[in-house]
Amino acid sequence: MNRLFQRKRELTLNQRDALWGYLFVSLPIIGFVVFAAGPLVVSVILSFAEWDLLRDPKWVAFDNWRQLLTLTVKEVPQEIDDATGEPLFLCARQKVPASQVAEIEGTIDTRTGGVVTCEPRYMPERDVLPSGYRTALSFDLLGKHYLIGSRDPLFWESLYNTLYMLLAIPISLVIALGLAIALNQKIHGKSIYRMLYYLPVVLPIAATSLIWMWIFNPNFGILNYGLGLLGLPADINWLQDRHTVKPALMVMSIWGGLGYQMLIYLAGLQNIPNHLYEAAKIDGAGLLAQFRYVTWPSLTPTTFFLLITGMIAGFQGFAQPYIMTNGGPYNSSRTVVMVIWSNAFRDLQMGYASAQAWTLGVLIMLVTALNFVMARRWVHLEG
């Protein structure tokens, strides 16, 4: 009887321990279901509905997805002169037949004082694209001009802007690796240098954005002032020119993330065993050979981690372009997340914004999966 009582008591204690374990685990599980899994499921359902937060959702099936994802590619023919039947060119804002281009091109424009250049004059998009479509992107291929039309060209233009600004990631990784190697040497004050490089990571985004707006100011910004001292053009309107706004934002993003990447690289460098360098020196390897055959292979897992996290963060860029340019000029700095935010919280198109958000999420997952597949070729794992 005593043994039976002890077994029942032990079973009760085990059940009590299991109950406490389930209670501790339940809190994060509930948090995940309420704040992550639940909204994800709801957003999938809302992507097939029309909802403005004020009325009940209205089921629209695949209308949101058709509006978002339907694309068309059209070749744009060159305009023809009705009088001569020749292709038209645009020379100093004037339509000129092909036979007269040689006489005009290269002359001086009396209005601007610049040299006249002539470009083919193409038919307007309304005569090329189907009804309801607008130009999302245009490109030239094999001497022909093409338009990519969409029912929501702003989304695809913002996706192009986002992908363009992702080019800052490899540039940032190269600079961060160089800084990490330099600060891994025995130099005086390296702790101070590490702190200074890491400082932008912990500074508020709004404050640093305002600082960079002052740096990029075309009239009294320090960047144009420095270019002027070097004899370079000093009247560049960095944030209001569609050709310079994306590189300007890329410079700021590189500066902001450099300290974090450098710190991770430092940890990776200090994790490389010294006996590998000693063996390389015995084999006669110089500094370049040591970097190529010891340092870089050991740092490929670190680089892969920084690349993946950097791309995921880059796809979600919002704060800096929103504060500094609000997507301008002419939507040339508008990111995908800015478009989703505008549709959801400004225009109250929650269903359509959900479809856009899921499109971005699937794109991030595909890019991440592709990186994992490609990593097998260049990432060297220990053992």
Side-chain angles (χ1 to χ4, degrees), residues 118-177:
C118 297
E119 298 178 352
R121 171 73 181 184
Y122 296 103
M123 294 182 63
E125 65 174 36
R126 64 176 179 271
D127 297 334
V128 178
L129 296 176
S131 177
Y133 286 78
R134 290 176 295 161
T135 302
L137 294 172
S138 61
F139 62 95
D140 295 312
L141 181 64
L142 301 176
K144 296 182 179 180
H145 189 64
Y146 294 90
L147 294 180
I148 299 179
S150 170
R151 295 177 180 177
D152 184 6
L154 184 58
F155 176 82
W156 296 102
E157 185 178 0
S158 66
L159 180 59
Y160 167 77
N161 296 334
T162 303
L163 293 174
Y164 185 101
M165 288 188 278
L166 286 180
L167 295 175
I169 296 173
I171 300 172
S172 179
L173 291 179
V174 171
I175 299 174
L177 178 57

Side-chain angles (χ1 to χ4, degrees), residues 281-325:
K281 290 177 183 178
I282 293 173
D283 290 340
L287 292 177
L288 264 175
Q290 291 178 36
F291 176 81
R292 179 180 178 183
Y293 295 108
V294 178
T295 306
W296 175 245
S298 301
L299 288 179
T300 50
T302 304
T303 304
F304 178 66
F305 167 76
L306 290 174
L307 179 65
I308 291 295
T309 55
M311 293 189 72
I312 293 174
F315 272 111
Q316 301 176 54
F318 174 80
Q320 291 93 338
Y322 179 77
I323 295 172
M324 299 177 68
T325 64

Side-chain angles (χ1 to χ4, degrees), residues 18-44:
L19 178 61
W20 278 107
Y22 287 127
L23 285 175
F24 281 119
V25 173
S26 64
L27 292 177
I29 291 178
I30 293 173
F32 172 76
V33 171
V34 173
F35 297 106
L40 282 174
V41 173
V42 172
S43 65
V44 172

